[in-house]
């Protein structure tokens, strides 16, 4: 097909088919003031006007999903539309009502406090893509906050959504990152130091932004009619393969949410991603990674690590706890739809799907990271358990260790030092490498070599398959911060450079090795690099 068939000519040619607002009940109140919204799934609200919008970056792959050409994306009209200054015909902006458990406690109504949905684009392939601004001003759900987002958190959301997609991790996407030209006041560490920061709007894109908390709010309020409406709508639009809604289909739907969530979490554990705020309002029913706030990437392998300073005491959302938290969150979703099922037993069976799927995919993921074609529990449970301990004995960069393991010389006769040689770049403190450590790692490497040789896997095949699941490039926390430092000076070149780099995270990309290095020492304690708060 030629470009003219697959791309639209003008922004105004975008076709909107706004199923969510057409089929679900709207809030009768239309004024934009903060309130409890009952009897409705959403409230109509207009984006705020930006004083002096400036395009910072856009994703050409997401533009393609929307049939948008490079020329359109780089036009002044695009900047005006995607900062919220001009509505296209067919856009009908709204904020969605939802609730959620925050840090384990029911928090009541939350909702799109700084997200505004513009509508659903119907592209030329017949797909629906919901456009959603983050940071375009207050909504009825803004509670005590301003509905805005600062540049630093918007750069983080924009880059990470796209990086995750290219890593093969299910995620919401990001079309554009546009500065508003307005200043936003933030107290970054909630320590009495508020200061103005540049404001920005990210346009997020996903088939749907429905969250676990979207169902929870109606169950909590006893609005069972609305609960049923939203679930029937969700099944018909996003899960049509399950058939017409019925009690059986509700259960099949819940099982599918469990399955998708399990797969998403396994991907997070594979690439070393820590979400940071796995509240039930931040859990997508499509199993997409959603709401990039104080997330982070594991540098030295530490299952207890969380980047979120707000969670520093309890570490509820630490890396190693993410699988259990997802299960807990699914339990809350099960509670929410219980009124439509009215039996505990089938819901309990459905939630077992999470554990089964998780175990199956986690084992396959562990095997793949080690270049094995199947996970053999008898051999691989002890092999992997020992490896995960070894990775914590001394500070070891997770991404580098797995990537470099592919380059191991597969000879059990080599000395410990010779075997370790390809892995040396992964160590943060080589002086910690005692003889005991070397002996322990050497033993592990020899067991690993024997396991691979026993499975008769050719070295070229092992290397290739490992390099397709163990990324060379991830959005290291300090890299995002360096791009932010520049962006705050009006220079978006590093945002573009990282976006380009992270399009091919599994490729060697000669000349880009500097981005694959372990975290430099200065970044260890620098805010934004290892510590983040929810302030964004
Ligand atoms: P989060 O934990 O960031 O997902 O946010 C929890 C809730 O707070 C959601 O309802 C958000 O929409 C809302 N929220 C977060 N930041 C802001 C803000 N700056 N203005 C208004 N609402 C916000
Ligand atoms: Mg959220």
């Amino acid at each position: 097909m030629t470009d003219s068939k697959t791309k639209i000519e003008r922004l105004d040619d975008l076709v909107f088919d706004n199923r969510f607002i057409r089929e679900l009940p709207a809030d009768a109140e239309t004024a934009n003031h903060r309130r409890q919204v009952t009897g409705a799934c959403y409230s109509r609200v207009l984006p705020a006007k930006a004083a002096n919008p400036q395009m910072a970056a856009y994703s050409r792959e997401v533009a393609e999903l929307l049939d948008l050409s490079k020329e359109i994306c780089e036009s002044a009209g695009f900047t005006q539309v995607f900062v919220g200054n001009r509505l296209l015909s067919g856009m009908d902006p709204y904020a969605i009502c939802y609730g959620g458990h925050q840090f384990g406690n029911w928090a009541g109504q939350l909702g799109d406090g700084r997200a505004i949905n513009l509508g659903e684009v119907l592209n030329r392939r017949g797909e629906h893509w919901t456009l959603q601004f983050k940071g375009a001003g207050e909504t009825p759900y803004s509670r005590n906050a301003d509905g805005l987002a600062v540049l630093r958190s918007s750069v983080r959301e924009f880059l990470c959504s796209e990086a995750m997609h290219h890593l093969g991790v299910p995620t919401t996407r990001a079309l554009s990152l546009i500065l508003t030209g307005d200043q936003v006041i933030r107290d970054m560490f909630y320590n009495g130091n508020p200061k103005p920061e540049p404001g920005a709007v990210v346009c997020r894109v996903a088939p749907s932004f429905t969250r676990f908390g979207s169902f929870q709010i109606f169950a909590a309020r006893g609005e069972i009619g609305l609960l049923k409406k939203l679930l029937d709508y969700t099944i018909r639009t996003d899960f049509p393969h399950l058939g017409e809604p019925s009690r059986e289909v509700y259960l099949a739907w819940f099982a599918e949410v469990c399955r998708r969530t399990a797969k998403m979490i396994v991907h997070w554990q594979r690439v070393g991603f820590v979400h940071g705020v796995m509240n039930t309002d931040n859990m997508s029913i499509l199993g997409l990674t959603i709401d990039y706030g104080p997330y982070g990437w594991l540098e030295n392998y530490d299952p207890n690590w969380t980047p979120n300073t707000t969670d520093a005491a309890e570490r509820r959302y630490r890396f190693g706890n993410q699988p259990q938290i997802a299960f807990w969150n699914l339990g809350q979703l099960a509670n929410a739809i219980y009124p439509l099922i009215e039996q505990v037993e089938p819901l309990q069976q459905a939630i077992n799907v999470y554990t089964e799927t998780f175990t199956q995919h986690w084992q396959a993921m562990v095997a793949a990271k080690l270049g094995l074609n199947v996970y053999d529990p008898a051999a691989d449970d002890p092999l992997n358990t020992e490896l995960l301990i070894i990775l914590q004995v001394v500070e070891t960069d997770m991404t580098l260790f797995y990537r470099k393991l592919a380059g191991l010389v597969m000879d059990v006769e080599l000395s410990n030092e010779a075997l370790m040689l390809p892995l040396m770049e992964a160590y943060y403190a080589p002086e910690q490498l005692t003889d005991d450590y070397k002996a322990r790692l050497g033993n592990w490497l020899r067991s690993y070599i024997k396991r691979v040789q026993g499975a008769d896997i050719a070295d070229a095949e092992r290397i290739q398959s490992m390099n397709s699941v163990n990324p060379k490039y991830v959005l290291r926390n300090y890299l995002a911060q360096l791009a932010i430092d520049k962006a705050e000076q009006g220079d978006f070149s590093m945002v573009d450079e990282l976006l380009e780099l992270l399009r091919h995270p599994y490729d060697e990309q000669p000349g880009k090795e500097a981005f694959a290095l372990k975290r430099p020492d200065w970044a260890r304690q620098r805010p934004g690099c290892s510590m983040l708060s929810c302030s964004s």
Side-chain angles (χ1 to χ4, degrees):
M1 267 203 281
T2 62
D3 215 37
S4 63
K5 290 242 178 62
T6 56
K7 301 269 168 35
I8 56 171
E9 304 268 311
R10 305 171 316 135
L11 263 183
D12 292 275
D13 294 340
L14 275 179
V15 176
F16 285 87
D17 178 31
N18 301 330
R19 302 169 300 178
F20 189 90
I21 52 172
R22 189 168 65 228
E23 291 174 34
L24 294 168
D27 179 6
E29 168 77 72
T30 52
N32 189 1
H33 60 91
R34 292 133 206 254
R35 58 185 178 271
Q36 289 293 309
V37 173
T38 55
C41 290
Y42 63 91
S43 309
R44 283 199 163 79
V45 61
L46 292 173
K49 295 270 189 283
N52 184 19
Q54 186 195 351
M55 172 64 115
Y58 74 93
S59 156
R60 60 170 182 260
E61 293 85 359
V62 180
E64 231 156 74
L65 294 176
L66 305 172
D67 308 324
L68 298 174
S69 66
K70 182 175 189 290
E71 292 69 37
I72 288 184
C73 293
E74 292 174 6
S75 68
F78 180 95
T79 302
Q80 291 296 335
V81 168
F82 288 98
V83 81
N85 279 356
R86 183 168 88 83
L87 291 180
L88 296 173
S89 107
M91 285 181 171
D92 195 349
Y94 58 98
I96 301 174
C97 181
Y98 55 79
H101 278 85
Q102 295 184 316
F103 298 96
N105 305 306
W106 175 243
Q109 177 181 298
L110 296 168
D112 284 336
R114 58 161 162 180
I116 297 181
N117 306 273
L118 299 166
E120 299 167 58
V121 167
L122 179 59
N123 73 9
R124 296 202 172 168
R125 286 176 300 284
E127 301 159 347
H128 285 79
W129 290 101
T130 301
L131 306 184
Q132 185 187 77
F133 285 156
K134 187 163 174 181
E138 24 184 283
T139 78
Y141 309 95
S142 294
R143 296 180 294 152
N144 55 1
D146 56 12
L148 303 173
V150 291
L151 180 60
R152 67 183 148 82
S153 64
S154 306
V155 167
R156 285 168 50 81
E157 168 124 25
F158 175 80
L159 282 178
C160 201
S161 317
E162 293 306 287
M164 292 286 266
H165 168 75
H166 294 296
L167 281 165
V169 184
T171 177
T172 62
R173 305 293 300 275
L175 170 66
S176 52
L177 166 64
I178 302 180
L179 274 94
T180 58
D182 296 303
Q183 298 286 304
V184 176
I185 307 291
R186 285 290 180 272
D187 184 356
M188 190 169 163
F189 283 100
Y190 304 119
N191 58 4
N193 291 305
K195 68 174 182 85
E197 297 188 46
V201 171
V202 170
C203 181
R204 309 199 285 192
V205 176
S208 140
F209 287 94
T210 302
R211 300 141 190 275
F212 291 10
S214 306
F215 296 95
Q216 287 184 281
I217 188 72
F218 301 132
R221 288 173 168 166
E223 295 183 318
I224 307 308
L226 270 180
L227 177 70
K228 181 171 184 310
K229 269 198 180 128
L230 180 64
L231 185 50
D232 289 356
Y233 168 81
T234 298
I235 289 168
R236 289 196 178 108
T237 53
D238 290 314
F239 298 81
H241 53 279
L242 295 178
E244 269 304 290
S246 67
R247 193 175 158 281
E248 291 315 305
V249 169
Y250 295 155
L251 286 166
W253 173 81
F254 179 66
E256 186 163 337
V257 177
C258 290
R259 208 173 289 119
R260 290 189 191 205
T261 304
K263 291 183 190 173
M264 173 186 78
I265 301 286
V266 169
H267 279 293
W268 291 2
Q269 307 305 103
R270 170 173 68 84
V271 298
F273 175 78
V274 189
H275 183 284
V277 208
M278 288 178 69
N279 292 334
T280 56
D281 54 304
N282 291 338
M283 296 290 293
S284 144
I285 49 103
L286 295 176
L288 305 175
T289 312
I290 192 173
D291 280 6
Y292 291 89
Y295 68 81
W297 292 81
L298 276 195
E299 284 159 337
N300 53 299
Y301 179 79
D302 175 5
N304 289 319
W305 186 70
T306 175
N308 186 356
T309 53
T310 314
D311 190 26
E314 202 189 335
R315 292 179 185 267
R316 178 180 173 87
Y317 298 139
R318 63 190 182 270
F319 178 72
N321 215 27
Q322 296 187 126
Q324 281 76 10
I325 290 293
F327 181 79
W328 190 89
N329 288 343
L330 284 161
Q332 304 314 311
L333 179 60
N335 289 340
I337 63 165
Y338 173 80
L340 304 177
I341 310 282
E342 290 187 316
Q343 269 186 307
V344 174
E345 177 66 13
L347 276 169
Q348 246 156 14
Q349 275 174 16
I351 206 169
N352 289 338
V353 168
Y354 174 80
T355 316
E356 288 155 16
T357 311
F358 182 84
T359 304
Q360 189 193 347
H361 283 258
W362 190 80
Q363 291 184 344
M365 177 273 283
V366 167
K369 282 185 85 67
L370 296 175
L372 303 169
N373 34 26
V374 283
Y375 189 91
D376 167 12
D380 300 335
D381 281 349
L383 190 71
N384 189 51
T385 306
E386 171 70 356
L387 174 60
L388 297 186
I389 295 169
I390 290 175
L391 289 178
Q392 295 170 69
V393 172
V394 298
E395 266 187 290
T396 313
D397 190 89
M398 175 186 170
T399 305
L400 280 167
F401 184 91
Y402 281 99
R403 185 76 183 187
K404 298 287 174 185
L405 187 61
L408 186 68
V409 180
M410 304 296 274
D411 178 356
V412 290
E413 301 299 327
L414 289 179
S415 68
N416 295 331
E417 277 82 3
L419 279 172
M420 283 175 66
L421 210 55
L423 300 169
M424 289 308 289
E425 273 177 53
Y427 295 108
Y428 281 93
E431 70 279 5
Q432 294 173 346
L433 303 175
T434 60
D435 287 344
D436 276 356
Y437 174 85
K438 290 178 192 170
R440 190 169 181 182
L441 178 65
N443 281 340
W444 184 86
L445 291 170
R446 285 184 199 93
S447 314
Y448 168 64
I449 293 170
K450 286 181 194 150
R451 169 74 180 90
V452 170
Q453 289 172 342
D456 219 8
I457 301 165
D459 221 32
E461 184 196 334
R462 180 183 68 91
I463 293 169
Q464 201 201 11
S465 69
M466 287 176 80
N467 286 351
S468 68
V469 292
N470 297 323
K472 173 156 178 168
Y473 300 100
V474 294
L475 184 58
R476 290 176 178 274
N477 311 308
Y478 84 92
L479 290 176
Q481 188 56 45
L482 290 177
I484 291 165
D485 290 343
K486 285 194 175 173
E488 288 181 341
Q489 303 305 313
D491 173 1
F492 304 110
S493 58
M494 193 168 170
V495 173
D496 274 337
E497 192 175 13
L498 290 180
L499 180 63
E500 184 54 42
L501 177 86
L502 297 168
R503 283 193 164 105
H504 306 286
Y506 301 103
D507 293 356
E508 285 299 316
Q509 302 197 46
K512 297 288 180 189
E513 286 81 5
F515 295 113
L517 298 178
K518 58 182 177 267
R519 172 198 60 218
D521 229 30
W522 60 260
R524 190 179 286 264
Q525 300 300 340
R526 193 184 149 191
C529 298
S530 56
M531 299 171 278
L532 292 136
S533 74
C534 285
S535 161
S536 56

